[in-house]
């Protein structure tokens, strides 16, 4: 304790020369900080703030642009759907028209085939009738010559007899059809 009593100075306080040198050094460091470092920090902060604000503005602009593109896409999609519906309806209408045309062509072809068949049938019927008349005529002449006992070989007589016989057959056929 003697040592402490011998010194009258406070041991916690540094010597006055060191305090002055420390204050000058602190002032120089503070001056350098405010003169060079603080403006650089301010510049970096400003650039960063501008970059962030610019990024936000660009993001907002891009978001607005994206919304516009989305609306345009939706409009184009709706237009494409409408166009597809129109094309489907048109294709259905054309299909119906083609079916109707094919149906009418088939009916015309069927009518033409039936008419041709009817013509062929009538032609064949007439041919069969003519053949049968010839055969019936020959048989009738032969039978009549046996019944009559004279030859009906003469052409004129035979024709007259055959024509009368066929006329009687036609009269019987028409009167038989009328009775039905």
């Amino acid at each position: 304790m003697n040592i402490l009593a011998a010194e009258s100075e406070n041991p916690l306080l540094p010597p006055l020369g060191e305090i002055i040198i420390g204050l000058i050094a602190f002032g120089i460091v503070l001056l350098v900080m405010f003169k060079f470092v603080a403006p650089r920090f301010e510049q970096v902060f400003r650039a960063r703030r501008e970059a962030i604000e610019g990024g936000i503005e660009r993001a907002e602009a891009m978001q607005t642009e994206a919304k516009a593109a989305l609306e345009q896409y939706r409009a184009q999609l709706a237009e494409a759907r409408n166009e597809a519906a129109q094309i489907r309806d048109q294709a259905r209408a054309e299909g119906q028209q083609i079916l109707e045309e094919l149906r009418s062509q088939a009916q015309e072809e069927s009518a033409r085939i039936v008419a041709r068949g009817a013509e062929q049938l009538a032609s064949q019927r007439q041919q069969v009738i003519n053949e049968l008349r010839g055969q019936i005529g020959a048989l009738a002449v032969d039978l009549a010559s046996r019944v009559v006992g004279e030859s009906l070989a003469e052409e004129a007589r035979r024709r007259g007899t055959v024509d009368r016989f066929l006329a009687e057959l036609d009269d019987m056929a028409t009167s038989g059809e009328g009775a039905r």
Side-chain angles (χ1 to χ4, degrees):
M1 292 219 186
N2 279 339
I3 301 176
L4 290 176
E7 289 183 30
S8 67
E9 291 184 27
N10 188 357
L12 295 178
L13 289 176
L16 185 62
E18 287 182 17
I19 290 177
I20 293 174
I21 291 176
L23 283 175
I24 292 172
F26 180 73
I28 292 172
V29 170
L30 195 60
L31 181 67
V32 169
M33 289 289 282
F34 280 116
K35 184 81 173 163
F36 298 108
V37 176
R40 180 71 180 137
F41 275 127
E42 189 64 33
Q43 185 181 16
V44 169
F45 289 143
R46 191 176 317 116
R48 189 139 195 188
R49 183 176 55 240
E50 289 173 1
I52 290 171
E53 288 174 355
I56 291 172
E57 289 174 3
R58 282 193 307 270
E60 289 174 351
M62 291 177 86
Q63 188 175 12
T64 305
E65 192 176 309
K67 284 181 183 178
L70 179 63
E71 291 301 319
Q72 183 180 6
Y73 167 75
R74 286 180 179 165
Q76 288 176 348
L77 183 62
E79 184 179 327
R81 285 180 179 159
N82 289 337
E83 188 176 328
Q86 289 174 352
I87 289 171
R88 271 195 313 267
D89 293 342
Q90 186 179 9
R92 283 185 191 131
E94 287 176 3
Q96 281 297 114
Q97 184 180 6
I98 290 171
L99 284 175
E100 292 299 322
E101 288 175 4
L102 288 175
R103 232 181 247 134
S104 67
Q105 287 176 355
Q107 288 175 348
E108 290 173 4
E109 185 68 23
S110 172
R112 196 170 31 253
I113 290 171
V114 168
R116 195 174 325 133
E119 289 173 5
Q120 287 177 351
L121 186 62
S123 170
Q124 288 175 354
R125 181 175 180 241
Q126 189 60 40
Q127 185 179 5
V128 168
I129 288 174
N130 289 340
E131 287 177 11
L132 285 177
R133 281 184 180 218
Q135 289 176 358
I136 289 174
L139 288 173
V141 167
D142 187 40
L143 184 62
S145 43
R146 285 185 190 169
V147 169
V148 172
E150 66 181 72
S151 173
L152 297 174
E154 291 179 24
E155 185 68 32
R157 272 197 208 164
R158 185 173 59 179
R159 232 186 234 150
T161 306
V162 169
D163 287 341
R164 260 190 328 227
F165 179 69
L166 291 176
E168 288 175 13
L169 279 178
D170 284 340
D171 287 341
M172 283 195 284
T174 53
S175 64
E177 286 179 8
R180 288 185 198 175

